[in-house]
Amino acid sequence: MTVDLYALGWSPALAERAARCGARLRPGRVVRADRGVLTTLCADGPVRASLAGAVLAAAAADPAELPCAGDWVLVRDWPDGRVTAEKLLPRSTAVIRRTAGKDSTGQVLAANVDTAAVVEPVHPEPDVGRIERLLALAWESGAQPLVVLTKCDLAADPAAVAAQIAEVAPRVAVLPVSAQRPGGLDALRPFVAAGRTLGLLGPSGAGKSSVVNGLVGGTAMATQTIRRVDGKGRHTTTYRALIPVPGGGAVLDTPGIRAVGLQAAGDGLARAFAEIAELVAACRFGDCRHEAEPGCAVRAALESGELPPRRWESWQRLNREVAVETDRRDARLAARRAGWRRQRRDRGYARP
């Protein structure tokens, strides 16, 4: 079996970077990661590779450095038949959510995707707050965000639903699709052309696996029937997987996301709420609290009906969450620096 790596997204820039790492290493794209073992697609086909010590050390210092589906790695073949992933190549994009717990470290959900699609079912009705949160995550990744409305065969007027969602997705295309209708996924095919990767983000039961199967033309991912009464169901995918698409390109499916924590850095939230960010910038005072200050563009927009209260409340809620994460990150860095100073002092490196 031979694999066209360029059809999977390999590039001259990556090839140049790989060449500097030595001739004994060859590239592969991670299609799945399982507890320290990667399934990669190399030029000669699928290869199972364990993580080398250098990769494990980098991941111990920063969990975001752990290879995941979509990553490009350099693998090495050993005389005894072992294969190890020796180096993680730089990512062009990364969808990272904050993990639960006090550490609030980042978990990479998908790497090197060109388009990050927020997948939301129209039946029984879309969750607008979830779409806003996932769009902030998609913008933060560096990929091009997209909203994909699934199960449109169950909606009386999919175009009307798409128009409503477009109001909370500024500067983002909103595509109603159906995996059950012939040609129902045609609007997504340009996003999985040769060399391009489409990442799917969404909750359990949103229809992500059905989208994957429809694009690939087979049963690449297992699915379960969704109850017609309430639209609920259970997604059988419990791992992230990159699936090549016939003719080139790939689609990256993620498990159903129950909770998405936003990271502290970046401008993903501002871009997901672009119209509010513009209003905030237009306020007369830079430290405006948007309560009773004169010249507040936000209050004026709320009073005129230009800015829906629900949208403003969602912006405030997510900003508070990011502020809390910023405080946690700063406290974590301060504790780490204090630990380094103690180590230097204990080793006799402290200044007199």
Side-chain angles (χ1 to χ4, degrees):
M1 175 184 180
T2 58
V3 177
D4 182 355
L5 295 185
Y6 282 93
L8 281 180
W10 187 245
S11 67
L14 286 171
E16 181 180 352
R17 185 66 176 259
R20 295 200 296 266
C21 295
R24 292 184 298 178
L25 303 179
R26 57 193 178 112
R29 193 164 192 195
V30 180
V31 298
R32 181 171 170 176
D34 299 283
R35 297 182 179 180
V37 178
L38 308 178
T39 301
T40 66
L41 276 179
C42 297
D44 59 349
V47 171
R48 296 271 288 176
S50 58
L51 297 179
V55 176
L56 288 171
D62 182 359
E65 291 299 310
L66 189 68
C68 74
D71 271 321
W72 288 98
V73 296
L74 298 180
V75 302
R76 181 176 181 179
D77 299 283
W78 296 86
D80 59 3
R82 291 182 299 116
V83 181
T84 54
E86 297 287 325
K87 186 173 182 60
L88 172 67
L89 291 177
R91 295 163 173 149
S92 59
T93 65
V95 180
I96 305 176
R97 71 171 174 181
R98 193 187 73 243
T99 56
K102 295 182 179 180
D103 288 342
S104 301
T105 54
Q107 178 190 20
V108 183
L109 299 177
N112 300 311
V113 298
D114 299 283
T115 305
V118 175
V119 182
E120 182 71 20
V122 301
H123 181 78
E125 64 178 335
D127 185 326
V128 176
R130 181 166 58 209
I131 292 174
E132 291 171 332
R133 179 180 287 270
L134 287 175
L135 276 177
L137 198 71
W139 276 117
E140 191 68 33
S141 73
Q144 178 61 48
L146 176 70
V147 175
V148 176
L149 299 177
T150 58
K151 309 181 192 293
C152 284
D153 52 293
L154 302 178
D157 191 350
V161 178
Q164 293 174 356
I165 297 303
E167 295 179 359
V168 299
R171 304 170 188 171
V172 176
V174 180
L175 302 180
V177 303
S178 172
Q180 306 304 319
R181 292 177 176 172
L185 298 177
D186 287 351
L188 289 178
R189 296 199 180 277
F191 298 97
V192 289
R196 296 187 60 82
T197 300
L198 171 67
L200 304 180
L201 307 171
S204 297
K208 298 190 300 297
S209 293
S210 295
V211 168
V212 172
N213 293 336
L215 292 173
V216 173
T219 307
M221 304 297 291
T223 61
Q224 288 188 348
T225 302
I226 305 301
R227 297 194 299 269
R228 291 284 180 134
V229 176
D230 57 8
K232 296 180 180 179
R234 185 165 61 88
H235 197 327
T236 57
T237 303
T238 57
Y239 56 89
R240 294 174 287 282
L242 180 85
I243 301 97
V245 175
V251 59
L252 201 160
D253 188 22
T254 61
I257 298 175
R258 295 181 179 86
V260 178
L262 300 179
Q263 295 284 90
D267 63 349
L269 188 57
R271 299 185 73 176
F273 291 80
E275 81 282 20
I276 296 182
E278 291 172 359
L279 288 171
V280 169
C283 288
R284 180 184 301 178
F285 302 106
D287 59 350
C288 183
R289 299 179 62 184
H290 319 299
E291 293 175 352
E293 295 87 347
C296 176
V298 171
R299 300 311 309 177
L302 286 168
E303 292 168 3
S304 68
E306 175 189 352
L307 176 60
R310 190 215 61 80
R311 180 83 166 154
W312 173 240
E313 291 167 4
S314 182
W315 158 267
Q316 290 180 303
R317 181 173 60 255
L318 293 176
N319 266 284
R320 286 193 296 268
E321 180 179 315
V322 170
V324 170
E325 165 58 14
T326 300
D327 291 342
R328 287 180 176 177
R329 181 197 60 184
D330 292 345
R332 187 168 63 248
L333 292 176
R336 189 176 300 171
R337 286 194 292 266
W340 291 337
R341 287 194 293 269
R342 284 195 299 272
Q343 290 179 9
R344 289 178 60 82
R345 184 180 64 247
D346 293 344
R347 293 173 183 174
Y349 295 140
R351 292 179 180 177

